[in-house]
């Protein structure tokens, strides 16, 4: 199992779904889209000495034990999370939010097109006449 899969298993998808009022599949899709984006931003910042210092500063003095135990959504400090996201993405934060927000609409559109195409090819044939 990859480190990403290990991390993904720790995310309380069911609690997120309940908190947002969506089904588990929708919450799971959102997490699978957002997590790589956050990790990529962290990685990009960690490659730059100023970015690495910024990450260290953002985590300094914070309780990091949350990363070492089972996570419950109510244990997450969303204000702290927002501050960290601001540090990770800086002035590109709104672009990232917009891209992530557009993803479910894109996915729904792709699924609708795929569904229509599969039904277009699955028409029953009668008496040897196709179409």
């Amino acid at each position: 199992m990859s480190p990403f899969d290990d991390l993904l298993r720790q995310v309380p998808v069911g609690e997120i779904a309940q908190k947002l009022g969506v089904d588990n599949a929708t919450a799971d899709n959102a997490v699978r889209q957002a997590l790589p984006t956050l990790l990529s931003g962290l990685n990009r910042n960690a490659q730059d000495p100023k970015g690495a210092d910024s990450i260290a500063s953002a985590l300094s003095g914070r309780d990091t034990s949350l990363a070492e135990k089972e996570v419950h959504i109510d244990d997450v400090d969303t204000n702290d999370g927002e501050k960290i996201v601001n540090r990770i993405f800086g002035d590109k934060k709104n672009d990232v939010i917009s891209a992530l927000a557009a993803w479910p609409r894109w996915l729904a559109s792709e699924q609708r097109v795929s569904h229509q195409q599969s039904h277009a090819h699955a028409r029953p044939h009668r008496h040897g006449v196709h179409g």
Side-chain angles (χ1 to χ4, degrees):
M1 184 170 295
S2 74
F4 176 77
D5 290 330
D6 288 340
L7 185 59
L8 194 56
R9 283 188 345 188
Q10 295 177 37
V11 177
V13 172
E15 291 181 35
I16 292 171
Q18 185 177 16
K19 192 95 162 172
L20 297 177
V22 298
D23 61 74
N24 282 4
T26 300
D28 186 62
N29 284 335
V31 167
R32 287 178 181 275
Q33 180 65 22
L35 195 55
T37 303
L38 290 170
L39 293 174
S40 175
L42 272 171
N43 183 50
R44 192 172 40 256
N45 277 344
Q47 301 303 315
D48 174 53
K50 286 183 183 177
D53 288 344
S54 180
I55 294 168
S57 174
L59 296 175
S60 176
R62 298 221 171 31
D63 179 11
T64 58
S65 67
L66 184 62
E68 299 167 6
K69 61 183 180 180
E70 184 176 344
V71 178
H72 295 285
I73 196 73
D74 290 332
D75 295 339
V76 176
D77 184 335
T78 56
N79 290 326
D80 254 359
E82 185 173 352
K83 290 175 189 173
I84 291 170
V85 167
N86 284 333
R87 284 183 185 247
I88 293 171
F89 296 111
D91 61 353
K92 297 196 185 300
K93 179 183 96 170
N94 289 332
D95 295 339
V96 172
I97 291 170
S98 295
L100 288 172
W103 184 78
R105 289 190 300 273
W106 173 84
L107 179 63
S109 169
E110 288 295 307
Q111 287 174 338
R112 191 171 39 254
V113 168
S114 175
H115 179 73
Q116 290 170 346
Q117 289 173 347
S118 69
H119 283 296
H121 296 292
R123 292 186 183 138
H125 303 291
R126 294 187 185 153
H127 306 290
V129 176
H130 300 281

